[in-house]
Amino acid sequence: MAKWGQGDPRWIVEEREDGTNVNNWHWTERDATLWSRGKLRELLVGIVVENEAGRCEVSELKQVDGEASCSSRKGRLIFFYEWNIKLGWRGTIKESGAKHKGLIEIPNLSEENEVDDTEVNVSKKKGDGDVLKELMRTAGTARVREALGDYLKALKTEFTMGMILPTKALATQEVTVKRKLSEDAMQASSPAALGVRIPTVALHMTELFDATVEQLYSIFTVKDLVQQFSKSSAVLEAEKGGKFQMFDGNITGEYVELLTNRKIIMKWRCRNWPEEHYATVALNFVPTLGQTELQLHCKGVPVCKEENVKICWQKQHFEEIKGLLQLATLHG
């Protein structure tokens, strides 16, 4: 195999227009929480309803608690979302010009309920103005549910663009949108965007090796073995708080926890990631009949770098380690 960044151009994902998802085999999870909060604000705030009695407007997003994510596995998308939303509304009675305020509460927007069945509670501060409350309870609630439906459509189309390999007929269109999303993500993670959290994904991979847990664990913690499978120089301090550097400095990080022959947790990053951003990589070594299953859990991968990380582990780690083990068996 070639060194990191060299060799077979099929594995240089950034240069492939269809490289947004090579095979969708391993479980990929994309965190949609931050994106969802922005989308819900965009769709809900500013809703206006009006009749002969008055006019009401959703004026602010007071609270949005919960989370959302999308996972892909073998070409299938799985959605999870659960939100508790509180909106502020204000209205004016046309005849008197009196102004009133109130709340709209959506206690459980989740995949367990259809949008049309989602509970929407409208309340108003004390005093007159029940005609405005009724306007919000009827026409306002309908508009709110419509906006929630638009959010779910966007979650399942706009946010997930690129998670499934597009058909040839849609490739050009989807790649263009994916590039735009990737550019936006990178702009959000630039040093100028202080305080902006980088959109990330979590990756989960498993691989079987013809080795004992002791053999496989040593390949990740012994400098000479790391240099053999990576075919490059390495710096390794295999202890808690110790630093490491692999593939001629393209991969760097720090050991967070080492449980001998059982588990390794690392802070891990690629050189081309946003400065000072690290993923958390956990490697679990599970003995099986005559083999060892390696379970990899990687959280905090920048959203536009997920395929590169998958290929890094599959090609530059797993396949090269298997080659090293085969050589050891032959020479044994």
Side-chain angles (χ1 to χ4, degrees):
M1 295 296 294
K3 288 185 180 180
W4 174 274
Q6 300 177 354
D8 194 335
R10 289 175 299 175
W11 302 112
I12 303 175
V13 175
E14 289 118 333
E15 296 179 6
R16 291 180 52 187
E17 286 199 336
D18 65 342
T20 50
N21 204 320
V22 174
N23 54 24
N24 293 296
W25 185 261
H26 296 294
W27 183 279
T28 302
E29 181 179 293
R30 182 174 292 181
D31 186 354
T33 302
L34 289 177
W35 176 89
S36 293
R37 285 177 177 150
K39 180 59 69 171
L40 286 166
R41 182 185 301 277
E42 173 191 326
L43 293 171
L44 291 167
V45 176
I47 288 176
V48 174
V49 289
E50 188 172 6
N51 63 12
E52 65 280 357
R55 180 182 186 276
C56 295
E57 176 184 359
V58 176
S59 55
E60 61 178 317
L61 181 62
K62 287 180 169 289
Q63 174 185 310
V64 54
D65 292 334
E67 59 183 325
S69 64
C70 177
S71 302
S72 69
R73 172 67 166 150
K74 296 184 180 180
R76 179 170 173 247
L77 293 176
I78 304 166
F79 296 93
F80 169 82
Y81 53 92
E82 189 171 38
W83 295 107
N84 180 352
I85 303 167
K86 187 179 291 184
L87 305 162
W89 66 268
R90 60 192 178 198
T92 304
I93 298 176
K94 289 184 177 179
E95 184 175 342
S96 64
K99 299 183 182 299
H100 297 275
K101 294 181 178 181
L103 294 175
I104 300 172
E105 295 181 82
I106 306 160
N108 183 30
L109 174 65
S110 72
E111 72 276 8
E112 296 177 358
N113 303 306
E114 296 292 334
V115 172
D116 290 343
D117 298 325
T118 299
E119 185 178 356
V120 179
N121 300 317
V122 177
S123 61
K124 182 187 66 64
K125 291 188 175 181
K126 292 181 180 179
D128 295 332
D130 285 341
V131 291
L132 296 179
K133 178 183 175 181
E134 183 63 16
L135 175 60
M136 286 304 298
R137 191 188 67 79
T138 53
T141 294
R143 289 291 309 279
V144 165
R145 286 197 174 118
E146 181 182 330
L148 296 177
D150 289 341
Y151 156 69
L152 295 180
K153 289 176 186 175
L155 176 65
K156 295 175 181 181
T157 54
E158 176 185 328
F159 178 78
T160 59
M161 190 67 71
M163 290 188 75
I164 299 298
L165 187 66
T167 60
K168 290 182 179 179
L170 296 176
T172 303
Q173 175 186 350
E174 294 196 359
V175 166
T176 300
V177 176
K178 176 64 177 179
R179 283 177 178 165
K180 179 62 168 62
L181 293 174
S182 297
E183 290 168 4
D184 291 346
M186 290 307 297
Q187 289 171 3
S189 65
S190 67
L194 295 177
V196 177
R197 183 178 168 187
I198 298 170
T200 63
V201 298
L203 305 179
H204 307 280
M205 303 171 70
T206 60
E207 196 77 18
L208 277 175
F209 293 87
D210 292 324
T212 64
V213 289
E214 292 82 5
Q215 287 174 314
L216 192 58
Y217 183 88
S218 66
I219 286 177
F220 284 94
T221 54
V222 176
K223 178 180 176 180
D224 288 345
L225 294 176
V226 169
Q227 291 185 148
Q228 285 182 51
F229 87 73
S230 66
K231 298 180 176 64
S232 59
S233 61
V235 176
L236 218 65
E237 301 169 1
E239 59 185 30
K240 186 174 181 178
K243 309 292 186 183
F244 64 83
Q245 180 175 302
M246 300 169 58
F247 298 104
D248 297 322
N250 281 287
I251 300 296
T252 55
E254 177 182 319
Y255 292 102
V256 176
E257 183 180 358
L258 296 101
L259 299 176
T260 304
N261 302 329
R262 291 172 53 198
K263 187 173 189 176
I264 299 173
I265 299 178
M266 304 172 280
K267 288 172 59 180
W268 190 96
R269 64 172 272 110
C270 294
R271 176 181 282 170
N272 63 354
W273 286 8
E275 190 175 355
E276 296 302 316
H277 179 78
Y278 287 83
T280 299
V281 171
L283 300 175
N284 293 294
F285 300 82
V286 182
T288 62
L289 291 175
Q291 295 179 305
T292 298
E293 181 180 87
L294 182 65
Q295 300 173 348
L296 181 148
H297 305 282
C298 186
K299 296 182 179 180
V301 177
V303 71
C304 54
K305 300 294 184 182
E306 57 196 280
E307 288 303 325
N308 301 80
V309 173
K310 281 186 190 178
I311 290 169
C312 169
W313 281 100
Q314 190 67 53
K315 293 297 183 183
Q316 268 69 34
H317 287 75
F318 298 166
E319 292 189 10
E320 295 293 350
I321 288 171
K322 287 183 177 181
L324 178 62
L325 289 168
Q326 287 176 352
L327 283 176
T329 301
L330 290 172
H331 293 296

